């Protein structure tokens, strides 16, 4: 028997005539028992008391311990290397790269549930891992797929708002606006205004976060189809997983593209808490702004050229390189081109990282995907040669701590191979993925009662007062 909530959803879909695909999705989800509907939430709820007790014990036992020294250079250099933020979902090791709840990228590729045997992991499995710290079973990952599917119906005003935006509006601006347009339905904002106890903050934050994650693929696809394909929209497929449906709604049906989207959405999801998009989302959320407000803020940070927009910059640089040198340049030609870029006072986009000191594992897994599916693609061949040339050139400058490629150095080439050539859109795909990590952490931030963030700032004059005046 359907629950009252499930019946209400079905009646709403019928009344609003949103389409057979949405009704089918709702029915498919509703006919499974409520235990499935709330399986992930139940798992998180069961973990909260022990994690709260653990955090309290850590603070009592180690609260006065020193994490590390802070230098003037750190304060003036973007706070790099200052350990001052609790982030549970992932940890970045300078040598090994990112670990999601202790699991490396090769490990999650091997362990997380998949749609195709030997294929790429589905992000729903990663979301379970980020929220619970445990590798999910196939059944648990499917339950997340179904929960997100049931939450994915967009209010009618979202598309209406999209179609009022001026032509030429950058896709990330559109993305931020449409995320904000969902805020009026925030369950956390409503609960807070109704006086919910702070120990229960995590519950409506979970609801908002899952609602938002569920709707992001359709929002992203609407932006893509309106901006680049004449507003010829593609309805969701109720049989597909979260990332596969994103590729489908963008207009791509090939199994390889769906696999690429699963990989892309998994590896871009989280990169500990100090990067701009994660830190911004955390900071705004610490003020008890709801997940819509905090995630939109994070996406505005992701849109910066030094953060998420870097993948767009990589493709522009590569396309200029190919226009000048062709698709079969020699290593000597590439070396000269890279040196010329540096001589102009420009960076080589896609190389270097604020924390990593080796090749980004997210680059490596994308390279392996290319070697499997598109080994003879000319652009992949150029990227491979650059991998042999750029670190050497950057290393010789003596100014670069990490001359190795990061995730942005490869992602655009994969997308372009399958026809997704609109570089200005790539950061939206990054943003959809990043929701998994930052919103999962946001749920735990509220469950653990983390306080509002308020670091101490200093002035350059105060530095001189403390350590001595300098001569310019």
């Amino acid at each position: 028997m359907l629950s009252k909530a499930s019946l209400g959803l079905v009646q709403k879909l019928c009344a609003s005539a949103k389409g057979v695909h949405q009704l089918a999705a709702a029915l498919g989800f509703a006919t499974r028992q409520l235990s499935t509907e709330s399986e992930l939430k139940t798992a998180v709820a069961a973990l909260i008391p022990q994690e709260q007790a653990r955090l309290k014990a850590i603070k009592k036992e180690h609260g006065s311990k020193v994490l590390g020294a802070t230098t003037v250079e750190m304060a003036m250099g973007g706070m790099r290397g200052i350990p001052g933020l609790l982030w549970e979902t992932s940890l970045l090791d300078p040598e090994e790269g990112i670990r999601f709840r202790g699991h490396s990228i090769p490990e999650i590729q091997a362990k997380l549930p998949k749609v195709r045997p030997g294929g790429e992991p589905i992000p729903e499995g990663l979301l379970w891992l980020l929220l619970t710290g445990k590798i999910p079973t196939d059944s648990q990952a499917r339950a997340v797929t179904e929960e997100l599917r049931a939450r994915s119906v967009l209010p009618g005003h979202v598309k209406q708002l999209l179609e009022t935006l001026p032509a030429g509006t950058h896709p990330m601006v559109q993305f931020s606006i449409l995320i904000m347009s969902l805020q009026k339905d925030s369950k956390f904002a409503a609960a807070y205004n109704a006086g919910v106890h702070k120990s229960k903050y995590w519950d409506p934050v979970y609801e908002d976060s899952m609602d938002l994650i569920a709707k992001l693929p359709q929002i992203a696809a609407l932006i893509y189809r309106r901006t680049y394909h004449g507003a010829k929209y593609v309805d969701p497929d109720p049989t597909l997983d979260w990332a596969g449906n994103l590729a489908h709604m963008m207009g791509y049906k090939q199994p390889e593209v769906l696999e690429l989207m699963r990989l892309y959405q998994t590896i871009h999801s989280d990169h500990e808490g100090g990067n701009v998009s994660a830190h911004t989302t955390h900071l705004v959320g610490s003020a008890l702004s709801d997940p819509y407000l905090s995630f939109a803020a994070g996406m505005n940070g992701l849109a910066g050229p030094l953060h998420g927009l870097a993948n767009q910059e990589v493709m522009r640089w590569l396309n200029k390189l190919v226009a000048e040198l062709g698709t079969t340049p020699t290593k000597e030609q590439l070396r000269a081109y890279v040196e010329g870029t540096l001589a102009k006072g420009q960076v080589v986009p896609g190389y270097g990282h604020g924390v990593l000191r080796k090749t980004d594992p997210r680059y490596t897994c994308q390279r392996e995907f290319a070697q499997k599916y598109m080994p003879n693609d000319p652009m992949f061949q150029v990227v491979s040669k650059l991998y042999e040339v750029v670190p050497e050139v950057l290393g010789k400058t003596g100014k670069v701590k990490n001359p190795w490629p990061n995730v942005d150095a490869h992602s655009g080439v994969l997308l372009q191979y399958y026809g997704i050539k609109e570089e200005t859109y790539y950061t939206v795909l990054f943003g959809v993925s990043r929701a998994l990590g930052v919103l999962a952490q946001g749920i735990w931030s509220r469950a653990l009662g983390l306080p509002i963030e308020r670091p101490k700032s200093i002035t350059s004059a105060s530095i001189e007062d403390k350590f001595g005046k300098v001569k310019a």
Side-chain angles (χ1 to χ4, degrees):
M1 180 178 291
L2 302 184
S3 68
K4 290 183 179 179
S6 298
L7 282 171
L9 177 59
V10 173
Q11 291 167 350
K12 180 179 178 182
L13 288 170
C14 292
S16 60
K18 289 295 181 183
V20 174
H21 63 275
Q22 294 175 344
L23 179 58
L27 285 171
F29 182 81
T31 53
R32 296 164 176 85
Q33 300 300 316
L34 284 175
S35 60
T36 301
E37 184 177 11
S38 60
E39 191 169 351
L40 177 55
K41 188 174 182 180
T42 299
V44 173
L47 291 169
I48 288 174
Q50 66 191 57
E51 289 303 308
Q52 289 174 331
R54 175 173 163 270
L55 197 68
K56 185 177 181 180
I58 290 173
K59 189 173 182 180
K60 180 179 179 180
E61 183 73 19
H62 304 300
S64 62
K65 305 290 176 58
V66 177
L67 288 171
T70 301
T71 66
V72 172
E73 185 177 20
M74 286 176 167
M76 297 177 70
M79 298 194 293
R80 289 174 185 259
I82 298 176
L85 174 64
L86 189 66
W87 193 269
E88 300 285 35
T89 49
S90 65
L91 184 66
L92 181 57
D93 183 276
E95 301 296 324
E96 294 184 0
I98 195 65
R99 284 186 173 272
F100 302 109
R101 292 285 190 174
H103 299 272
S104 68
I105 283 181
E107 288 169 349
I108 65 168
Q109 285 184 285
K111 296 177 181 178
L112 289 180
K114 304 166 180 65
V115 172
R116 301 168 64 184
E120 300 298 337
I122 57 172
E124 292 92 319
L126 180 66
L127 181 57
W128 183 287
L129 173 64
L130 294 176
L131 280 169
T132 69
K134 299 177 178 64
I135 297 290
T137 64
D138 287 352
S139 175
Q140 288 169 332
R142 285 196 301 271
V144 178
T145 298
E146 292 166 351
E147 179 174 356
L148 293 176
R149 186 180 296 140
R151 295 173 180 267
S152 66
V153 179
L154 280 181
H157 73 263
V158 175
K159 185 189 288 187
Q160 293 171 2
L161 175 59
L162 172 65
E163 292 176 343
T164 67
L165 298 178
T169 302
H170 193 283
M172 280 301 288
V173 176
Q174 298 180 57
F175 193 50
S176 178
I177 290 171
L178 297 190
I179 291 166
M180 287 291 288
S181 77
L182 296 171
Q183 193 277 337
K184 74 180 189 66
D185 296 322
S186 169
K187 295 179 176 65
F188 176 76
Y192 186 84
N193 289 335
V196 63
H197 192 277
K198 62 182 180 181
S199 65
K200 301 296 184 182
Y201 284 169
W202 77 271
D203 188 309
V205 167
Y206 175 94
E207 295 297 323
D208 280 354
S209 298
M210 293 297 283
D211 283 346
L212 180 53
I213 290 169
K215 292 172 173 61
L216 288 177
Q218 193 169 354
I219 286 175
L222 288 175
I223 292 169
Y224 183 74
R225 299 299 299 181
R226 178 183 184 251
T227 303
Y228 308 108
H229 295 277
K232 297 177 181 177
Y233 303 116
V234 179
D235 287 338
D237 182 340
T239 68
L240 285 174
D241 55 288
W242 183 78
N245 223 342
L246 171 56
H248 165 80
M249 289 185 289
M250 288 173 62
Y252 299 92
K253 317 295 183 186
Q254 309 99 301
E256 287 179 21
V257 183
L258 272 61
E259 282 291 281
L260 173 60
M261 195 60 70
R262 291 168 187 131
L263 174 65
Y264 189 102
Q265 294 299 318
T266 296
I267 66 174
H268 286 80
S269 61
D270 204 29
H271 218 230
E272 71 173 31
N275 64 77
V276 171
S277 56
H279 190 191
T280 302
T281 304
H282 172 83
L283 171 63
V284 176
S286 78
L288 298 186
S289 298
D290 62 62
Y292 300 100
L293 295 172
S294 57
F295 184 65
M299 291 303 94
N300 290 337
L302 188 70
L306 296 183
H307 190 23
L309 217 64
N311 52 14
Q312 173 181 314
E313 298 301 311
V314 168
M315 286 313 304
R316 288 178 174 173
W317 185 81
L318 281 175
N319 288 332
K320 288 179 181 178
L321 183 156
V322 169
E324 184 173 326
L325 304 179
T327 56
T328 57
T330 65
K331 290 183 181 179
E332 290 70 27
Q333 288 176 310
L334 289 175
R335 187 175 291 107
Y337 191 88
V338 172
E339 290 172 346
T341 297
L342 297 175
K344 296 174 185 176
Q346 300 171 357
V347 300
V348 179
Y351 280 77
H353 192 274
V355 178
L356 282 170
R357 294 298 174 260
K358 287 188 176 180
T359 298
D360 191 336
R362 299 173 300 173
Y363 174 95
T364 303
C365 70
Q366 291 181 103
R367 177 175 171 79
E368 291 169 350
F369 187 96
Q371 290 171 326
K372 180 178 180 180
Y373 291 109
M374 46 182 273
N376 299 317
D377 175 60
M379 289 296 283
F380 171 55
Q381 295 296 327
V382 172
V383 168
S384 294
K385 288 181 181 178
L386 285 168
Y387 186 26
E388 300 174 24
V389 169
V390 176
E392 176 190 347
V393 175
L394 293 179
K396 286 181 178 179
T397 66
K399 301 176 181 178
V400 181
K401 293 181 180 179
N402 172 24
W404 304 104
N406 59 50
V407 66
D408 299 310
H410 214 307
S411 57
V413 169
L414 298 180
L415 294 169
Q416 294 223 347
Y417 178 77
Y418 291 107
I420 307 172
K421 298 180 180 293
E422 300 85 1
E423 298 147 16
T424 55
Y425 181 75
Y426 292 169
T427 312
V428 174
L429 293 176
F430 193 162
V432 174
S433 174
R434 187 47 56 95
L436 301 176
V438 300
L439 294 178
Q441 175 58 44
I443 294 167
W444 274 106
S445 293
R446 301 290 75 77
L448 296 173
L450 299 187
I452 188 170
E453 186 175 307
R454 178 58 169 90
K456 180 73 175 74
S457 63
I458 57 176
T459 66
S460 57
S462 70
I463 295 173
E464 289 189 297
D465 291 341
K466 186 176 181 65
F467 299 110
K469 299 291 183 181
V470 301
K471 293 182 179 180

